[in-house]
Amino acid sequence: MNTFNGYRCSICGSEYLPGQVTYTCPTDGGNLDVILDYEIIKKKFQPEDITSRTEQSLWKYLPLLPVNEPAGNSTPLHAAGWTPVFALPRLAEKLHLKHLWLKDESRNPTASFKDRASAIVVTRAREIKSEVVVTASTGNAGAALAGMAAAVGQKAVIFAPKSAPQAKVAQLLIFGAKVILVDGTYDDAFDLTVKAANEFGWYCRNTGYNPFTVEGKKTAAFEIWEWWIEAHRDWHKQDSDLDDHPPLTIFVSVGDGNIISGIHKGFKDLLALGWIPNMPRIIGVQAEGSAAIANAFHARTETIIPVSANTIADSISVDLPRDGVRAVRAAAQTGGTYITVKDEDIIKAIAELGTIGVFAEPAGATAYAGLVKAVASGVVGSDDPVLVMNTGSGLKDVRAALQAVQSAPIIEPTLEAVKKNSYEKYKERMEPALSLYDGDHCFYCCCGIVDLCPRGCENAGDLCVCGVLN
């Protein structure tokens, strides 16, 4: 059952039938929102009809999507979405939060959130019989398109800036896409892609340009909604005094603005259907070197002024965000805000998430870096339930990840070399706490190996209270 009625311009409000336009509003170039027939959906489905479905992918929410179920069952196209949510009690304690979770989008088939959009766009391309799908990408969107296209034999062309991480370019090539590296920025690649699509009749997947990208990305909101139903119920079972707690706060890294717009669109769909009583609070996080949307939000305007983007987080490095207006509204209309973080904070966040078993690329870690700053500035309180979105795998950009950790030592293959290396490492880490030695007891040797205690404390490890080496 397809309930796709057409499009509505996000700027002027003009409406169009499905066959009248393809990408943006002909009047003002505004992004188009897909219009669904909510009344038909409400008559045919109740929330339980959706949540009781057993398919563990974004296609579980097919009645809320503007495409028909695609071919290619048991392929990666049918595996996108339905990513796990992890509880982070140790990080929550460190940040003095009572409830903290992370939704890990690196578990998608090509290891990023962008698989959601590409699954829907490739399906749409098959419906309208497009021979070639093209996109501009710093890597993730291109890899997602290449992977989803390969799954069903669809031709794909990717324009990427020559600065794209090699791991991401490798994905594009391995999936069999036609890859063209552009001697310029992502924005240059974006503009060239639009020109090529118009010239050759290709179907353009560009983020913040093709309205079906948001329709794919909104499925994350549906998953959060379904997860929150269960998490919230379990939470209330444990503590009946939580009826008046703050709403769920979601932290999302932002580049072009399409992911945060998609998540917002998903919750707007659920609200229109009457399936949720209110919106969660959505907080966008941008790198300081690529903060055009955050700048507009804090200036209280929807006019997006381009910047000269420069950040380690390549996936969110954008001069002119193509979905900026809707991205501003995603925070403004949900009681959220925008936070900007330094590259060094992003690198620290990569390492911090690694301590709980999540390997995030810089763009993915940006959301957590934003949470850290939000807690420190009082934007988030201890009682606020928080969900952080990790949008991609650290394997996408290993070069950046290595900046978050110390390099591994190289030693001779002997036990003596292991002991020597261990002593040097522990000594280096113990230096800040040497002053805690009181003459009788060692308060800093946490390794538990007496031989490594510089003061010769017999109780090394047992009496450590400083936590330096924990």
Side-chain angles (χ1 to χ4, degrees), residues 46-365:
Q46 294 297 315
E48 296 77 16
D49 297 320
I50 304 298
T51 58
S52 63
R53 294 181 169 216
T54 58
E55 183 165 4
Q56 295 187 336
S57 76
L58 61 80
W59 299 108
K60 177 177 187 174
Y61 308 102
L62 188 62
L64 308 181
L65 298 175
V67 292
N68 295 310
E69 186 168 10
N73 197 18
S74 299
T75 70
L77 186 70
H78 275 263
W82 201 245
T83 54
V85 175
F86 301 127
L88 309 181
R90 283 185 285 125
L91 292 184
E93 183 179 5
K94 184 173 183 178
L95 295 174
H96 305 291
L97 297 175
K98 293 180 180 178
H99 302 281
L100 174 61
W101 301 271
L102 178 141
K103 187 167 177 61
D104 191 6
E105 292 292 303
S106 72
R107 306 305 180 94
N108 275 301
T110 75
S112 88
F113 191 107
K114 306 295 179 66
D115 283 346
R116 296 179 182 275
S118 290
I120 301 299
V121 170
V122 167
T123 300
R124 177 62 176 170
R126 306 290 277 184
E127 288 181 351
I128 62 177
K129 304 187 186 311
S130 290
E131 183 179 352
V132 177
V133 184
V134 63
T135 195
S137 173
T138 59
N140 282 344
L145 174 58
M148 297 299 106
V152 293
Q154 175 75 46
K155 294 180 181 179
V157 177
I158 317 295
F159 289 92
K162 68 177 184 180
S163 60
Q166 286 300 298
K168 295 182 179 182
V169 175
Q171 271 191 300
L172 308 178
L173 295 168
I174 289 296
F175 289 140
K178 173 67 175 178
V179 181
I180 302 172
L181 298 181
V182 178
D183 188 7
T185 66
Y186 164 75
D187 297 80
D188 294 326
F190 186 105
D191 294 337
L192 182 58
T193 300
V194 173
K195 293 176 182 177
N198 292 335
E199 178 70 19
F200 305 120
W202 297 340
Y203 186 51
C204 186
R205 178 227 178 272
N206 275 7
T207 296
Y209 183 70
N210 187 315
F212 282 81
T213 58
V214 158
E215 293 300 298
K217 293 175 182 180
K218 77 179 186 182
T219 59
F222 298 157
E223 292 174 22
I224 293 170
W225 161 65
E226 186 171 348
W227 159 78
W228 184 237
I229 291 174
E230 293 300 321
H232 200 226
R233 182 182 297 124
D234 292 343
W235 189 9
H236 278 277
K237 285 180 181 177
Q238 297 173 21
D239 191 337
S240 60
D241 296 329
L242 294 173
D243 292 333
D244 296 324
H245 63 74
L248 178 67
T249 298
I250 304 172
F251 280 78
V252 188
S253 60
V254 178
D256 247 328
N258 201 235
I259 289 179
I260 195 171
S261 298
I263 292 174
H264 187 214
K265 174 64 158 57
F267 284 115
K268 287 196 293 185
D269 282 353
L270 295 170
L271 193 64
L273 291 167
W275 293 1
I276 58 174
N278 47 52
M279 288 274 195
R281 180 169 62 148
I282 304 176
I283 295 179
V285 187
Q286 291 204 285
E288 284 188 0
S290 181
I293 296 173
N295 293 342
F297 177 88
H298 290 295
R300 299 185 179 182
T301 179
E302 291 186 345
T303 300
I304 311 299
I305 300 175
V307 298
S308 182
N310 181 21
T311 174
I312 192 174
D314 68 284
S315 292
I316 55 173
S317 181
V318 182
D319 293 348
L320 176 61
R322 310 296 173 135
D323 206 352
V325 172
R326 292 189 298 190
V328 167
R329 293 174 183 173
Q333 295 177 1
T334 63
T337 188
Y338 269 84
I339 293 171
T340 59
V341 293
K342 300 179 183 296
D343 275 5
E344 47 264 42
D345 296 326
I346 295 172
I347 292 172
K348 290 178 183 177
I350 294 174
E352 195 78 1
L353 291 175
T355 65
I356 50 92
V358 173
F359 189 13
E361 70 166 338

Side-chain angles (χ1 to χ4, degrees), residues 443-461:
F443 287 94
Y444 59 83
C445 184
C446 306
C447 61
I449 304 175
V450 175
D451 290 344
L452 296 185
C453 178
R455 303 291 187 179
C457 173
E458 295 181 358
N459 295 314

Side-chain angles (χ1 to χ4, degrees), residues 92 95-99 246 375 380-386:
L95 295 174
H96 305 291
L97 297 175
K98 293 180 180 178
H99 302 281
V375 170
V380 170
S382 62
D383 290 329
D384 292 329
V386 175

